[in-house]
Amino acid sequence: MDKIYVTGMEFWGYHGVYPEENKLGQRFRVDVILETDLKQAGKTDELDDTVNYAKVYTVCKEIVEGKPYKLIEAVAENLASELLKEFSTVLYCTVKVVKPDPPIPGHYKSVAVEIKRGRT
C-alpha cells in the first residue's frame, strides 16, 4: 500500500484533564500517514486522483482547535475517524498527536499517542 505523510502540523488547542489546560491551551503537533493507492495519481498527475494535503490540514485544524477533549487519545481517535470519512480512497490512517511540555509531575519533553485505524 502506498503512503502519504503529512507531518509536523502544529495547532493551538485546549485539551487536557486539568482546568488550566482547558483555559490557557497549548500547542499540539500532529503527524498523519494515509495509506491509499497512488498509482492513478502517479499516472495522471491530477490532484483529483490523490488526497489533497491542504484538506488533510484543514480537517486536522478543525478538530485540534475545536472541541476540547480531556485526552489526546480522544483527539487522535476523532482525527482518524474524520480523515477516513473525508477521504474515501484512504484504507488506513495512522495519527500521532504530540503534547509538548505536558503539565504533569516530572521532566518530560512531550507525551504522544499514535493510533492506526482502517475501514471495517
Side-chain angles (χ1 to χ4, degrees):
M1 187 61 40
D2 304 321
K3 296 178 183 179
I4 295 173
Y5 293 79
V6 182
T7 62
M9 293 179 281
E10 291 192 357
F11 308 103
W12 192 265
Y14 295 86
H15 314 291
V17 175
Y18 302 113
E20 62 270 16
E21 293 177 287
N22 305 132
K23 183 179 178 182
L24 300 173
Q26 73 175 86
R27 185 172 39 96
F28 291 85
R29 287 194 309 268
V30 175
D31 298 330
V32 173
I33 303 170
L34 305 170
E35 296 183 44
T36 187
D37 185 350
L38 298 174
K39 188 174 187 177
Q40 186 65 19
K43 288 180 177 182
T44 65
D45 196 27
E46 293 294 331
L47 183 59
D48 288 341
D49 291 329
T50 190
V51 174
N52 185 322
Y53 314 147
K55 286 184 182 177
V56 171
Y57 179 87
T58 299
V59 168
C60 293
K61 179 179 175 62
E62 289 173 358
I63 291 172
V64 178
E65 294 186 353
K67 173 188 169 187
Y69 294 96
K70 292 178 195 166
L71 305 176
I72 57 175
E73 289 86 341
V75 176
E77 192 67 40
N78 281 279
L79 284 167
S81 176
E82 195 60 33
L83 289 166
L84 286 168
K85 188 181 347 174
E86 181 72 26
F87 303 104
S88 61
T89 60
V90 173
L91 300 178
Y92 293 97
C93 177
T94 302
V95 175
K96 182 178 180 181
V97 177
V98 181
K99 184 174 192 171
D101 303 312
I104 53 180
H107 297 287
Y108 302 89
K109 183 175 181 177
S110 66
V111 294
V113 297
E114 182 176 287
I115 64 169
K116 182 175 183 176
R117 299 293 181 262
R119 301 198 177 279
T120 55

